[in-house]
Structures are given as structure tokens and as C-alpha cells.
């Protein structure tokens, strides 16, 4: 009796082609390419390091725990991708930098959440969280320098102790704070008041923390503010501004800092006038920045 031998008596080497062949019928060309190459690299990796059964089960258990740690306000899989440099690598391939005047992009991170409030320009978005007042003024232009009105601008950042709202849900009674969705005005400008953020460790109380500790890696991210821009006729832009002079600027746990995104966060003495005309009785910071969007191809 003849037996189809495609998956019989496979060896350490022949198994790779046998598995790849099972994807031959994948209708989507790109999906087929991804599966076939994933199998090649996965099998090569296993052969190259001589992976043991214990190690494989440890890895599978790890991924299972990453899944369990993930939820609407905690994205442990995103964090895993971030600490392995995969998020930034994908972004670098997807958004080649340096060829245009467009503002450089960087990773999204795990703290973007839907459901943030949409607010008018000038709003205090701190949500009542105490801290050093910060006034942000932004301009959005196209690559020719023309202002772009009507851009939807998401912004989110930590408090002065490096914690996001979703990391202190109990204290904030599940209120979102230090995040908002704004829209650029007819001059392509947006502005808001909030509080100064701070450098912070990426969450280390989940499975990803085990990797950082095992490798004796710093979990720190330099101080930054996140932005996401959406406008009709333009490519979406996800980016961050990093504070010039931050002690962790050249040792970001998730590899996201780019020179062009380092920005002065200017400190002003008490008694100075804020950009909104308020005479401030405490020291405060201002940040001004122009963002350049690329026209959709
Ligand atoms: C963030 O900037 O919010 C972030 C990015 C990657 C990992 C953890 C946090
Ligand atoms: Fe962040």
C-alpha cells in the first residue's frame, strides 16, 4: 500500500520544508510569504540554539502569561514587542526616515486608550492631577510649510511621578486624565494646558519585567509626550517629543528616541505670564513644536 510520505519520518532538517509546503494553498500571497518565512526562521532558530523541551515549554508558558496580563488598559504583548525592539524596527521599515521633511515617527506604546475626551483648544487636560503646569503649543504643517487645519491630534503623557492615568485607576476613580483629542484650528495650531510629565519605568510587574531583570536591563524611558495625528489627505503620524536634557535620553528601554524629536521643555519662574495670558504664581513649563505631515500617497 502506498502512503503519502509528506509528513512521515521527518528529520531535523526535512521537517521545515514539510511544514512550509502545508502553506502552499494559502490564497493570500503576502500571508503565504509571511507563514513560509516565519516557519523558516523559527525552525532555524530552534536548530541553531539547540532548543530543549524545557526551554520551549518555558517560552510557551511565558507567552500564555503575557496573554493573561493583557487587557483593555494593559497591553503586555505590545510591551513585549517594544522591549524586543520589534515595534521600532517595524516603524523604521514602514516609515523610512530622512527622505522628507516630515516629522519622524516612533512607537505607540501600550498606554494609548480609546474613549479619551475630545476637547477644545486651550483646555486643561490634567484631569485635576497635581503637578508643575505645562502649556503645550503645537503647529501642524504640510511638507511645503502650509498650515493644516482640522487635524485630529491625540496627546497623552504621564504625571510628574511617571505614571499614566490607567496605572492609577483606583486613585483617579477610573477617570482618564493627561490625555485628550484636540483639533487644529484654521491656522493649523493646537494648544492645551496640562502638567509636566516625568521619566518612568515601563511596567515591570508582569512577564516582560522578568526579561528585563534577567538581562539586568534598565526599564526606564526618558520623559516624553505622545502624539497621534490624523488628517484627511495625509498619512497618520504617531510620534513623541522627548525632553532635552533628560538623564535617560540615550538609554530608552524601548529604543524610541530620535534626535529630531528631542525638544526644549522651557521652565519659567513664578510671576511669569503663561501663553494663555495667566500670570502664574508657581513655576511652569512651556513646549512649542511644529509637526510636519506627509501627504497621503
Ligand atoms: C510609552 O511611552 O508609553 C511606552 C512605550 C513602550 C513601552 C512602555 C511605555
Ligand atoms: Fe509614554
Amino acid at each position: 500500500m502506498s502512503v503519502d510520505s509528506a509528513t512521515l519520518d521527518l528529520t531535523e532538517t526535512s521537517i521545515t520544508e514539510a511544514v512550509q509546503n502545508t502553506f502552499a494553498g494559502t490564497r493570500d500571497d503576502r500571508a503565504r510569504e509571511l507563514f513560509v518565512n516565519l516557519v523558516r526562521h523559527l525552525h532555524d532558530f530552534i536548530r541553531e540554539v539547540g532548543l530543549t523541551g524545557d526551554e520551549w515549554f518555558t517560552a510557551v508558558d511565558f507567552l500564555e502569561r503575557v496573554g493573561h496580563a493583557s487587557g483593555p488598559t494593559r497591553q503586555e504583548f505590545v510591551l513585549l514587542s517594544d522591549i524586543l525592539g520589534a515595534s521600532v524596527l517595524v516603524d523604521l521599515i514602514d516609515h523610512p526616515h530622512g527622505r522628507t521633511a516630515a516629522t519622524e515617527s516612533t512607537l505607540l506604546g501600550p498606554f494609548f486608550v480609546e474613549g479619551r475626551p475630545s476637547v477644545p483648544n486651550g483646555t486643561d487636560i490634567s484631569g485635576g492631577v497635581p503637578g508643575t503646569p505645562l502649556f503645550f503649543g503645537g503647529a501642524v504643517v504640510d511638507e511645503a510649510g502650509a498650515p493644516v487645519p482640522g487635524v485630529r491630534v491625540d496627546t497623552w503623557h504621564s504625571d510628574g511621578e511617571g505614571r499614566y492615568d490607567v496605572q492609577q485607576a483606583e486613585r483617579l476613580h477610573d477617570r482618564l486624565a493627561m490625555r485628550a483629542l484636540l483639533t487644529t484650528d484654521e491656522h493649523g495650531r493646537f494648544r492645551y494646558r496640562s502638567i509636566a510629565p516625568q521619566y518612568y519605568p515601563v511596567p515591570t510587574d508582569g512577564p516582560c519585567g522578568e526579561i528585563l531583570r534577567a538581562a539586568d536591563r534598565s526599564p526606564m524611558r526618558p520623559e516624553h509626550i505622545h502624539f497621534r495625528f490624523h488628517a484627511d489627505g495625509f498619512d497618520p503620524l504617531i510620534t513623541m517629543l522627548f525632553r532635552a536634557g533628560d538623564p535617560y535620553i540615550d538609554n530608552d528601554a524601548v529604543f524610541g528616541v530620535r534626535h529630531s524629536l528631542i525638544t526644549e521643555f522651557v521652565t519659567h519662574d513664578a510671576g511669569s505670564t503663561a501663553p494663555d495670558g495667566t500670570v502664574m504664581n508657581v513655576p511652569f513649563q512651556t513646549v512649542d513644536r511644529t509637526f510636519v505631515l506627509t501627504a497621503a500617497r
Side-chain angles (χ1 to χ4, degrees), residues 1-10:
M1 189 176 76
S2 104
V3 178
D4 178 1
S5 63
T7 57
L8 259 186
D9 294 329
L10 296 171

Side-chain angles (χ1 to χ4, degrees), residues 6-22:
T7 57
L8 259 186
D9 294 329
L10 296 171
T11 67
E12 258 183 45
T13 46
S14 68
I15 188 167
T16 300
E17 202 181 330
V19 177
Q20 287 175 319
N21 287 343
T22 64

Side-chain angles (χ1 to χ4, degrees), residues 6 16 25 59 99 118 143 161 194 217 230 259 289:
T16 300
R99 292 196 208 143
S118 172
E143 289 192 68
E161 291 169 25
S194 192
R217 271 176 57 172
H230 277 287
H259 269 109
R289 175 76 191 210

Side-chain angles (χ1 to χ4, degrees), residues 198-212:
Q198 177 63 287
Y199 49 73
Y200 63 80
V202 300
T204 56
D205 56 343
C208 290
E210 296 168 27
I211 292 187
L212 295 175

Side-chain angles (χ1 to χ4, degrees), residues 79 82 107 109-111 164 200 202 221 224 226 240 254:
L79 183 56
D82 297 341
L107 71 176
F111 293 123
Y164 283 82
Y200 63 80
V202 300
R221 295 221 66 208
H224 59 272
H226 295 261
M240 298 178 204
V254 296

Side-chain angles (χ1 to χ4, degrees), residues 32 172 184:
R32 186 172 56 251
L172 293 176
T184 58

Side-chain angles (χ1 to χ4, degrees), residues 145-165:
V148 188
V151 181
R152 296 170 307 281
V153 185
D154 264 298
T155 183
W156 65 105
H157 63 81
S158 78
D159 66 11
E161 291 169 25
R163 291 172 310 181
Y164 283 82
D165 50 1

